[in-house]
Amino acid sequence: MRVAGAVVVIAVLRGGSGSDLARRFTAAGAAGVLVADQNPGAAEDLAAELDRPGCPVIGVSSDVHLPSDVAALVHTAVEHLGPIDLFCVTGPDGERIVSLDELPDHLDPLAELLALVGDAISEVVPPQRQPVASPSASRTAVR
């Protein structure tokens, strides 16, 4: 995975932190980093701390569970930093880094990215137990 000169997007899920990833990428020579965090103000504070000449860091409040938010942060990253090379999702239980040069040229890049983000989220967040139906719900369903 090439980091030097790469434009990186880091999407932080609730309970996660993008600070370690952002620090690693800026130290490795990324050309720019966009951090998107569900926690209002967290990404903006991190960006203010890490932003420097040669590696601008942008922080936005965003929820990558929402396709419209993913589209908006992709637009913001491309507009301010250039084409995205690496898209990362980090949560309380891990991280996943996707290299966008692996995307097939013939597919809609945003649609494919949305699918990859969904896959990445499922990898870094443990599966939730299925809710057990309450007895009253069972009786209602039988009627």
Side-chain angles (χ1 to χ4, degrees):
M1 170 177 54
R2 180 184 62 81
V3 174
V7 171
V8 181
V9 171
I10 301 170
V12 182
L13 302 175
R14 192 159 315 283
S17 172
S19 63
D20 181 51
L21 270 178
R23 283 181 175 77
R24 287 179 3 217
F25 284 122
T26 57
V33 176
L34 182 140
V35 180
D37 198 317
Q38 292 178 321
N39 184 14
E44 294 86 344
D45 291 346
L46 181 61
E49 176 189 335
L50 297 178
D51 187 52
R52 61 181 169 77
C55 183
V57 180
I58 300 169
V60 297
S61 294
S62 183
D63 182 353
V64 294
H65 293 94
L66 304 173
S68 60
D69 279 18
V70 174
L73 70 92
V74 166
H75 175 77
T76 300
V78 170
E79 182 178 324
H80 295 283
L81 303 173
I84 299 168
D85 299 297
L86 302 171
F87 195 101
C88 312
V89 175
T90 183
D93 296 306
E95 60 191 41
R96 167 92 189 281
I97 301 171
V98 176
S99 177
L100 295 192
D101 65 359
E102 298 170 1
L103 292 181
D105 290 335
H106 65 282
L107 296 178
D108 174 5
L110 184 57
E112 184 68 11
L113 179 59
L114 289 171
L116 290 172
V117 168
D119 290 345
I121 289 171
S122 68
E123 286 183 22
V124 300
V125 176
Q128 301 297 312
R129 290 187 304 164
Q130 293 296 320
V132 177
S134 69
S136 61
S138 298
R139 283 193 303 270
T140 303
V142 172
R143 292 183 188 174

